[in-house]
């Protein structure tokens, strides 16, 4: 285990098993259709790759980058940093996200994407922190519900570190900068 990690919340084995289950469910639900995966950068990069590899459906993949986080606290203001390169008109879209926390990012994203007239649009998130929700988000596929703790690993970062850890872990307080120790702002 990394020296900055206090506790492993979701192990590598649990992630591998659950992602396969989610991919299977998507394969069943979208049988005969082409799924347009939209990954929310950067946190989705490992999850989307494992999900897409295990999904037995035709796929398009594109990415958006939004920003509402700085350090461990959500600023509440969502901005588009990188937009899709392809049209999603008439497509079956699945938004692939690392974690839904306040829900502000996903709410912004769904409103934005709906204006582009997809045939359908669903949310697939590896992690869900329901206790931090500020706006409701309809989540169709959820990997794990976790408590209100700031987590890193498997794509999730703290100040751009720890994304490559193969598990989801909670940082030691000593690894978090003093001014940022409040969670779920
Ligand atoms: P929301 O808009 O508050 O739902 O936040 C969504 C984004 O915040 C996610 O895509 C993550 O990038 C980031 N985020 C939220 N909670 C955590 C966490 O516990 N660890 C790392 N990033 C987080």
């Amino acid at each position: 285990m990394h020296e900055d990690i206090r506790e492993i919340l979701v192990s590598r084995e649990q992630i591998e098993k659950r992602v396969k289950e989610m991919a299977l469910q998507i394969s069943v639900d979208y049988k005969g259709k082409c799924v347009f995966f939209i990954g929310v950068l950067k946190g989705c990069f490992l999850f989307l790759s494992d999900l897409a590899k295990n999904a037995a459906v035709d796929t398009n993949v594109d990415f958006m980058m939004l920003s509402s986080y700085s350090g461990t606290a959500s600023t509440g203001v969502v901005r588009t940093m990188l937009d899709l390169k392809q049209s999603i008109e008439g497509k079956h879209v699945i938004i692939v996200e690392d974690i839904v926390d306040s829900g502000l990012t996903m709410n912004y994203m769904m409103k934005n994407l709906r204006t582009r007239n997809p045939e359908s649009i669903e949310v697939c998130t590896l992690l869900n922190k329901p206790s931090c929700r500020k706006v409701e988000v309809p989540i169709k596929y959820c990997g794990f519900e976790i408590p209100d703790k700031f987590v890193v690993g498997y794509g999730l970062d703290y100040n751009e570190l720890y994304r490559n850890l193969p598990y989801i872990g909670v940082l030691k307080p000593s690894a978090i900068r003093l001014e940022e120790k409040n969670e779920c702002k």
Side-chain angles (χ1 to χ4, degrees), residues 66-69 74-80 102 104-105 108 134:
L66 306 170
S67 143
S68 77
Y69 253 71
S74 175
T75 61
V77 180
V78 183
R79 285 176 299 156
T80 302
S102 69
L104 292 171
T105 306
Y108 168 93
K134 290 182 182 158

Side-chain angles (χ1 to χ4, degrees), residues 30-136:
Y30 289 83
K31 190 166 186 266
K33 295 177 181 153
C34 182
V35 176
F36 197 116
F37 285 120
I38 298 182
V40 188
L41 291 172
K42 300 176 190 174
C44 75
F45 83 108
L46 291 179
F47 179 39
L48 175 49
S49 133
D50 288 341
L51 191 69
K53 259 189 296 196
N54 285 289
V57 282
D58 289 340
T59 60
N60 278 9
V61 179
D62 208 341
F63 296 96
M64 285 181 83
M65 190 186 278
L66 306 170
S67 143
S68 77
Y69 253 71
S70 160
T72 61
S74 175
T75 61
V77 180
V78 183
R79 285 176 299 156
T80 302
M81 315 291 278
L82 175 82
D83 208 345
L84 300 176
K85 298 280 180 282
Q86 305 166 53
S87 161
I88 55 165
E89 190 165 352
K91 309 280 188 190
H92 293 286
V93 168
I94 300 182
I95 305 172
V96 181
E97 173 70 298
D98 52 356
I99 185 165
V100 179
D101 185 5
S102 69
L104 292 171
T105 306
M106 200 44 73
N107 185 260
Y108 168 93
M109 183 127 179
M110 290 196 79
K111 276 190 187 155
N112 179 306
L113 294 179
R114 281 206 184 99
T115 65
R116 308 182 196 198
N117 301 318
E119 176 70 26
S120 65
I121 181 161
E122 302 290 356
V123 174
C124 175
T125 184
L126 179 73
L127 303 174
N128 184 20
K129 261 197 238 178
S131 56
C132 289
R133 202 67 95 249
K134 290 182 182 158
V135 279
E136 263 328 294

